[in-house]
């Protein structure tokens, strides 16, 4: 009796890490452990009015908890670099008994959309994390705080720390100076707080056109850190917002909004990538000013930076990924060649693989490149123990066993079986037939075999003119056969391979070891083969660093990154089979690699499989 296939949904579900389990230390863990030991945030207090303390809609939060956040901008689909950040932030919160917020930094309405909001939520949950914790629903968006941000901006104006600048964008850029030359004060910098407040309210009320003015923090135009040379914190932008509609025509800059969001949500450790390191002084400056005014709690959050993910053969710029999509160089955000989370998922990547990858590459403060093979290795490692096995012929040519009728009987089909998983006999077996005609991979036959070729070749003379007999190989789980030749078409292409069946050599029978062979090939019987579309994917770019040397990344696109094959797979994968393939199910096609039933195009009557990863790293070899 055939046992049911293992539950692949269960196999794909990420295993929650035991927070007591040993985790490799890194500088972020050391910081968190020190703060927990010293109770840094355990006594966080509000210095202002009750109205400010109660601003957070979720009510009082546990100040003693580690509280982190993952703050994507909903202007595109998340990629593998975001997956690392998700695993890092949610994983640290899990390991230290804290919480992690999912917050949408939706301060740029022209580029944002609810489609991206939904895709981000789906990605976080698919990776095995959640923003619900002990009754808290820690799902937020920057736009929830626009009213408070406006009050904070007015507070900075009233205390002399912000002013409305009406220079043009080019004038502001020129007068900011550079790394050698200090900035020049704006002619509007000396306005009184009352004048700035009136003008800012005119910005808010739509009395000024887009680009006519910005609100700038007043810090130090001679600062060696250019980010402190009076950065813009509000701009006029008449754009419909997916959450607030047309309520606002001014929007906060990300660098102003982000620290306020962290403070209002009582984040303890604000973890970001190294490109924000130069912004940290402004982060602290702003929160210090707001704490002085009693608008936020103290001690306020602290920002810590880690090196972003640089993965070979991959781009992680949302803008450039969008370009690939918009120019139809790939088939959408979820194209299996894309490094987006939806693309990786459709390619066959699992949450466990991405979590293992994030843990394996670690967290550092030094930029470095991670080889793509590391990511692929994590997928192999997680699929090896769970993926059912199956046989598939990707580039089929017919093999005819010329003596089948006389040995086995005309029209006879013989029963064969194989384990669903070689290391899990309890899962049972899969059954299929063998007959006179089977499909084999074209690469399994060579008329003149190269050295070390142990598959099918006919009788021939070697280089020394010695007669070499046709090869003997085993049809895996079936019989031993002896190759006798092939049939070619008018153009010399092999259209049929011919061999003889060696009687009494079937796998699992007493005679199975009577003939020793070096070669074993996979096959599918013509009688019960299931036609399938198989998509073979390679890396999207030919070069490890697609923009290396300043070249246009489009010139490095790999023209062979997708090859579509008309293949045959064993009947066990068909509807009602022992390992019936359903969308998103993963399998090891023996000798070929790990494949996934395409989560979009696969159907019971039209199977479609994507190559997830080969059995070993063979890129460029």
């Amino acid at each position: 009796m055939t046992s049911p296939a293992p539950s692949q949904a269960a196999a794909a579900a990420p295993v929650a890490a035991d927070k007591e389990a040993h985790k490799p230390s890194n500088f972020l863990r050391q910081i968190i452990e020190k703060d927990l030991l010293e109770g840094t945030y355990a006594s966080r207090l509000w210095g202002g009015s009750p109205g400010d303390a109660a601003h957070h809609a979720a009510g009082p939060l546990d100040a003693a908890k580690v509280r982190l956040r993952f703050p994507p901008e909903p202007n595109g689909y998340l990629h593998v670099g975001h997956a690392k950040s998700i695993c890092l932030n949610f994983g640290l919160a899990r390991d230290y008994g804290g919480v992690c917020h999912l917050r949408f930094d939706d301060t740029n309405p022209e580029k944002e959309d609810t489609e991206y909001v939904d895709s981000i939520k789906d990605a976080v949950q698919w990776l095995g994390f959640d923003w619900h914790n002990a009754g808290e629903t820690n799902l937020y968006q920057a736009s929830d705080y626009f009213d408070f941000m406006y009050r904070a901006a007015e507070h900075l104006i009233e205390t002399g720390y912000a002013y409305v600048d009406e220079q043009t964008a080019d004038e502001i850029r020129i007068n900011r100076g550079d790394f050698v030359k200090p900035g020049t004060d704006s002619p509007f910098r000396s306005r009184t707080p009352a004048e700035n407040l009136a003008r800012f309210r005119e910005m808010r009320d739509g009395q000024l056109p887009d680009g006519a003015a910005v609100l700038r923090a007043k810090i130090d135009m001679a600062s060696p850190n250019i980010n402190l040379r009076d950065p813009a914190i509000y701009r006029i932008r008449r754009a419909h917002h997916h959450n607030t509609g047309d309520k606002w025509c001014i929007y906060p800059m990300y660098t102003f909004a982000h620290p306020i969001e962290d403070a209002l949500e009582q984040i303890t450790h604000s973890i970001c990538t190294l490109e924000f390191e130069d912004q940290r002084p402004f982060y602290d400056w702003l929160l210090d000013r707001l704490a002085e005014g009693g608008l936020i709690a103290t001690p306020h959050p602290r920002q810590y930076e880690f090196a972003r993910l640089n993965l070979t053969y991959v781009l992680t710029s949302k803008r450039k990924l969008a370009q690939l999509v918009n120019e139809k160089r790939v088939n959408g955000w979820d194209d299996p060649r894309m490094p987006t989370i939806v693309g990786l998922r459709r390619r066959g990547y699992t949450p466990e693989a991405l979590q293992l990858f994030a843990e394996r590459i670690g967290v550092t403060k030094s930029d470095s490149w991670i080889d793509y093979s590391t990511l692929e290795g994590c997928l192999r490692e997680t699929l090896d123990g769970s993926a059912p096995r199956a046989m598939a012929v990707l580039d089929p040519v017919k093999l005819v066993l010329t003596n089948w009728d006389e040995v086995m009987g005309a029209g006879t089909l013989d029963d064969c079986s194989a384990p669903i998983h070689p290391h899990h006999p309890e899962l049972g077996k899969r059954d299929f037939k063998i007959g006179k005609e089977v499909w084999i991979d074209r690469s399994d036959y060579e008329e003149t075999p190269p050295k070390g070729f142990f598959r099918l070749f006919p009788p021939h003379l070697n280089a020394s003119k010695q007669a070499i007999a046709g090869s003997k190989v085993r049809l895996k789980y079936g019989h031993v056969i002896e190759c006798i030749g092939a049939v070619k078409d008018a153009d010399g292409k092999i259209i049929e391979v011919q061999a003889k069946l060696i009687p009494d050599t079937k796998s699992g029978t007493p005679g199975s070891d009577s003939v020793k062979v070096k070669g074993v090939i996979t096959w599918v019987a013509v009688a019960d083969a299931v036609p399938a579309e198989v998509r073979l994917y390679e890396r999207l770019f030919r070069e490890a660093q697609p923009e290396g040397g300043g070249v246009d990344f489009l010139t490095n696109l790999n023209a062979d990154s997708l090859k579509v094959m008309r293949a045959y797979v064993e009947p066990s994968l068909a509807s009602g089979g022992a390992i019936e393939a359903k969308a998103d199910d993963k399998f090891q096609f023996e000798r070929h690699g790990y494949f996934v039933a395409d989560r979009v195009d696969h159907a019971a009557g039209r199977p479609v499989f994507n190559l997830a990863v080969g059995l070993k790293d063979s890129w460029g070899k």
Side-chain angles (χ1 to χ4, degrees):
M1 179 178 177
T2 299
S3 300
S7 167
Q8 300 207 30
V15 178
D18 180 350
K19 68 181 181 182
E20 299 300 325
H22 173 73
K23 293 284 184 180
S25 185
N26 58 55
F27 76 97
L28 292 174
R29 288 184 176 274
Q30 292 167 2
I31 290 169
I32 290 172
E33 288 166 7
K34 180 176 182 291
D35 285 341
L36 287 173
L37 183 65
E38 297 176 355
T40 301
Y41 294 97
S43 58
R44 179 152 34 185
L45 300 173
W46 289 91
S49 69
D52 288 328
H55 173 81
H56 198 295
L61 302 175
D62 183 353
K65 279 185 177 178
V66 171
R67 194 170 289 274
L68 300 102
R69 83 291 170 273
F70 173 62
E73 183 180 359
N75 64 345
Y77 283 76
L78 301 185
H79 53 63
V80 64
H82 295 112
K84 174 185 176 180
S85 185
I86 291 170
C87 293
L88 175 63
N89 282 284
F90 281 91
L92 286 171
R94 173 199 62 205
D95 293 346
Y96 290 102
V99 296
C100 184
H101 297 188
L102 174 59
R103 180 208 304 147
F104 296 103
D105 271 310
D106 53 352
T107 57
N108 194 5
E110 294 166 306
K111 297 181 179 179
E112 294 156 2
D113 195 281
T114 53
E115 174 190 355
Y116 302 133
V117 170
D118 293 339
S119 74
I120 290 168
K121 288 157 62 173
D122 181 66
V124 171
Q125 291 182 313
W126 177 74
L127 279 169
F129 301 104
D130 196 14
W131 47 87
H132 298 89
N133 182 274
E136 295 179 17
T137 302
N138 296 301
L139 178 65
Y140 306 107
Q141 44 200 354
S143 53
D144 293 336
Y145 311 125
F146 279 175
D147 289 332
F148 182 91
M149 290 175 190
Y150 179 81
R151 284 205 298 122
E154 286 205 346
H155 169 76
L156 293 178
I157 293 171
E158 291 165 348
T159 52
Y161 286 117
Y163 64 97
V164 174
D165 192 351
E166 297 180 51
Q167 296 180 97
T168 66
D170 285 341
E171 289 170 337
I172 290 175
R173 178 181 52 79
I174 292 169
N175 290 335
R176 179 171 285 179
D178 53 35
F179 291 109
V180 177
K181 179 183 175 183
T184 302
D185 285 358
S186 164
F188 301 96
R189 199 173 193 265
S190 58
R191 277 176 165 166
T192 66
E195 291 173 319
N196 282 310
L197 190 60
R199 200 61 168 157
F200 185 52
R201 289 174 177 172
E202 290 174 359
M203 290 172 59
R204 176 200 63 190
D205 295 339
Q207 297 178 30
L208 300 177
D210 286 11
V214 294
L215 182 67
R216 297 176 70 179
K218 185 187 288 187
I219 307 178
D220 181 5
M221 289 300 292
S223 173
N225 184 342
I226 294 178
N227 295 292
L228 293 180
R229 294 182 187 177
D230 293 7
I233 58 177
Y234 260 93
R235 80 280 200 199
I236 305 171
R237 185 78 79 247
R238 287 171 173 79
H240 183 81
H241 191 283
H242 69 89
N243 183 39
T244 59
D246 298 315
K247 177 180 178 180
W248 296 93
C249 66
I250 58 171
Y251 289 97
M253 304 297 287
Y254 173 83
T255 51
F256 175 75
H258 185 77
I260 290 177
E261 296 154 24
D262 283 350
L264 292 178
E265 293 175 18
Q266 297 190 31
I267 300 302
T268 56
H269 303 81
S270 182
I271 300 171
C272 58
T273 47
L274 278 174
E275 62 261 38
F276 293 99
E277 186 174 27
D278 290 341
Q279 293 287 355
R280 187 182 349 124
F282 177 69
Y283 183 102
D284 291 336
W285 178 91
L286 175 60
L287 295 187
D288 286 344
R289 302 292 81 75
L290 298 182
E292 289 167 0
L295 275 71
I296 65 168
T298 56
H300 62 65
R302 296 294 175 186
Q303 176 178 302
Y304 303 95
E305 306 87 18
F306 69 98
R308 65 177 295 165
L309 174 62
N310 294 310
L311 189 62
T312 59
Y313 299 99
V314 162
L315 284 178
T316 54
S317 160
K318 278 190 193 175
R319 179 178 61 81
K320 291 170 183 175
L321 294 177
Q323 183 179 347
L324 292 172
V325 173
N326 295 334
E327 294 181 3
K328 300 189 183 306
R329 297 177 185 270
V330 293
N331 299 316
W333 287 97
D334 67 345
D335 188 303
R337 294 167 292 182
M338 290 280 276
T340 54
I341 294 177
V342 288
L344 290 168
R345 183 177 179 182
R346 191 170 177 187
R347 179 74 175 263
Y349 275 81
T350 64
E352 302 103 314
L354 292 175
Q355 288 191 34
L356 178 61
F357 176 67
E359 183 175 320
R360 187 158 288 171
I361 63 178
V363 179
T364 70
K365 288 185 74 73
S366 302
D367 276 323
S368 61
W369 284 87
I370 304 297
D371 195 273
Y372 193 84
S373 61
T374 304
L375 176 62
E376 292 180 318
C378 291
L379 181 57
R380 287 190 198 96
E381 193 170 325
T382 56
L383 288 180
D384 181 59
S386 62
R389 277 32 174 182
M391 289 197 293
V393 176
L394 306 188
D395 185 13
V397 63
K398 187 176 290 185
L399 168 67
V400 177
L401 302 176
T402 58
N403 64 338
W404 178 272
D405 290 349
E406 59 191 82
V407 174
M408 302 297 293
T412 300
L413 294 175
D414 198 12
D415 293 323
C416 294
S417 65
I420 287 175
H421 195 290
H423 304 307
H424 298 289
E426 71 279 5
L427 296 177
K429 59 188 179 66
R430 54 195 214 267
D431 299 313
F432 39 85
K433 302 291 186 180
I434 187 170
K436 181 176 182 177
E437 297 180 334
V438 301
W439 296 110
I440 63 170
D441 273 290
R442 188 171 296 276
S443 61
D444 283 337
Y445 176 84
E446 287 284 352
E447 194 163 61
T448 305
K451 185 178 180 180
F453 185 82
F454 299 120
R455 286 166 280 168
L456 291 169
F457 55 81
H460 64 284
L461 297 177
N462 66 11
S464 302
K465 304 300 182 182
Q466 295 175 312
I468 304 297
S471 63
K472 293 182 178 70
V473 304
R474 179 174 296 281
L475 296 177
K476 194 168 188 180
Y477 310 118
H479 305 259
V480 175
I481 62 173
E482 181 179 355
C483 185
I484 59 175
V487 178
K488 301 178 183 179
D489 64 13
D491 297 323
K493 182 180 179 180
I494 303 294
I495 57 173
E496 181 182 294
V497 178
Q498 296 178 336
K500 290 182 178 180
L501 180 74
I502 299 180
D504 301 322
T505 57
K506 183 180 175 183
S507 293
T509 67
S512 62
D513 294 329
S514 61
V515 179
K516 301 297 183 183
V517 297
K518 291 184 177 180
V520 178
I521 64 174
T522 48
W523 55 277
V524 180
V526 171
D528 61 4
V530 176
E533 178 178 310
V534 173
R535 299 166 180 173
L536 301 180
Y537 291 100
E538 293 184 357
R539 297 172 190 179
L540 185 56
F541 295 99
R542 293 180 290 107
E543 298 295 330
Q545 297 183 27
E547 297 181 291
V551 302
D552 181 350
F553 70 95
L554 294 176
T555 64
N556 274 324
L557 282 170
N558 177 14
D560 297 320
S561 60
L562 170 60
K563 184 183 293 185
V564 178
M565 311 294 289
R566 301 301 169 188
Y568 291 101
V569 299
E570 68 174 63
S572 307
L573 294 163
S575 180
I579 50 173
E580 178 181 346
K582 297 178 181 177
D584 214 29
D585 282 352
K586 286 85 175 172
F587 304 90
Q588 184 194 107
F589 286 173
E590 299 186 41
R591 292 180 56 220
H592 293 297
Y594 293 96
F595 289 75
V596 61
D598 188 87
R599 62 195 306 260
V600 176
D601 296 330
H602 179 87
R606 185 182 178 274
V608 178
F609 297 95
N610 301 329
L611 172 63
V613 65
L615 294 177
K616 60 182 180 179
D617 182 17
S618 59
W619 174 253
K621 297 179 182 177

